[in-house]
Amino acid sequence: MVDLQVLAQAVIGGNEKAVALTKAALDEGVAPEKVLEEGLIAGMNVVGERFKAGEFYIPEVLIAARAMKMAMQILEPKLAEAGVDPVGKAVMGTVKGDLHDIGKNLVVMMLKGAGFEVADAGTDVSAEDFVETVKKSGAQIVGLSALLTTTMPMMHTTVQALKNDGADVKIMVGGAPVTQSFADKIGADGYAPDAASAVDLAKSLIA
Ligand code: B1M
């Protein structure tokens, strides 16, 4: 029998054995949602906690997220067959004029790791494209990332566009120059300083 704690440990260590263990657990008849929750998500939760505590750095998070992503490729079709609902739906993107995507990708991976379905809108995303992607995906959460002080005003523009459109979506913002007071000023629903906190925030915004 595959021990799902061993699978969680493989994710934490960024070990590609996570793929074989996921496969083996499914072959043994373990329910896909159990593999997801007690193996992959349990592992990524620990990664998030260690990152927040300063025990893990970005490379370790990226390696863990890569192991999770590879295992998810095996698991996703089985979850779809089993009709397992995602925790929530989110759209993530870096705002117009900004091409930085390392932090945004980290947030995407951590959200997926926590069981969210995420539409990654990419970088240099205009306010109109955010509105469009939110509509198409039916997301409850939209995350805006910016790394340049010069693109922070684009967050405001995007928040206004989403509100003018009447989109029923919670807006979270983040990125190195962004602060809680900036988030409050532009009318965002929340700010997170790092990828692990972004997951906590997303969960609280849809609770
Ligand atoms: Co750029 N760059 N860059 N750059 N770059 C910075 C941001 C800069 C601070 C460097 C500096 O001057 N010291 C500076 C900005 C200064 C400012 O605005 N005050 C800068 C500049 C000026 C520029 C250019 C204008 C340079 C030029 O061409 N003259 C240019 C702009 C291009 C553009 O975007 N239009 C540019 C280009 C680039 C590269 C292409 C070379 C490359 C980007 C590669 C890529 O992303 N694919 C790059 C990089 C790598 C950086 C630095 C070195 C690193 C950024 C990074 O990836 N950090 C950066 C300097 C630095 O930060 N030391 C710099 C790691 C990443 C994990 O952190 O993105 O903060 P971060 O994400 C964190 C949190 O912020 C948070 O979670 C993440 C994980 O914890 N987070 C969120 C992020 N998004 C979130 C969203 C959320 C919640 C949390 O909810 C929605």
Side-chain angles (χ1 to χ4, degrees):
M1 277 291 276
V2 172
D3 181 347
L4 293 179
Q5 283 183 8
V6 175
L7 173 56
Q9 282 302 328
V11 172
I12 296 165
N15 190 327
E16 56 190 51
K17 273 191 194 146
V19 176
L21 289 166
T22 298
K23 232 185 228 162
L26 292 172
D27 288 347
E28 280 171 10
V30 183
E33 59 269 42
K34 195 172 156 89
V35 178
L36 178 68
E37 275 158 28
E38 294 177 27
L40 303 184
I41 292 181
M44 277 310 276
N45 282 344
V46 173
V47 173
E49 280 155 22
R50 291 192 184 165
F51 180 65
K52 271 195 281 187
E55 293 162 14
F56 265 21
Y57 295 97
I58 286 161
E60 285 140 317
V61 177
L62 288 174
I63 291 165
R66 194 187 54 184
M68 164 110 191
K69 202 173 165 184
M70 290 192 301
M72 277 306 285
Q73 282 169 359
I74 311 286
L75 199 57
E76 251 162 10
K78 304 284 175 196
L79 287 169
E81 275 170 33
V84 177
D85 291 333
V87 172
K89 288 187 187 176
V91 169
M92 269 295 305
T94 306
V95 296
K96 189 160 178 59
D98 203 320
L99 301 174
H100 296 85
D101 69 356
I102 299 169
K104 183 265 296 169
N105 292 346
L106 215 47
V107 177
V108 169
M109 288 180 201
M110 294 294 279
L111 283 173
K112 285 188 176 174
F116 280 83
E117 184 181 309
V118 186
D120 186 349
T123 59
D124 193 20
V125 184
S126 67
E128 297 74 30
D129 283 349
F130 269 114
V131 171
E132 199 52 37
T133 314
V134 164
K135 266 191 199 156
K136 264 196 216 147
S137 63
Q140 305 117 300
I141 304 259
V142 57
L144 317 178
S145 181
L147 262 287
L148 299 170
T149 45
T150 50
T151 55
M152 286 168 71
M154 196 43 75
M155 284 184 151
H156 191 196
T157 307
T158 306
V159 169
Q160 281 179 324
L162 287 160
K163 292 199 168 166
N164 288 343
D165 187 68
D168 184 17
V169 69
K170 299 284 182 191
I171 308 166
M172 58 181 200
V173 294
V178 181
T179 59
Q180 180 66 57
S181 70
F182 178 75
D184 294 341
K185 201 169 111 194
I186 64 170
D189 297 297
Y191 156 77
D194 57 55
S197 317
V199 171
D200 296 340
L201 175 62
K203 283 182 182 164
S204 73
L205 287 175
I206 59 169

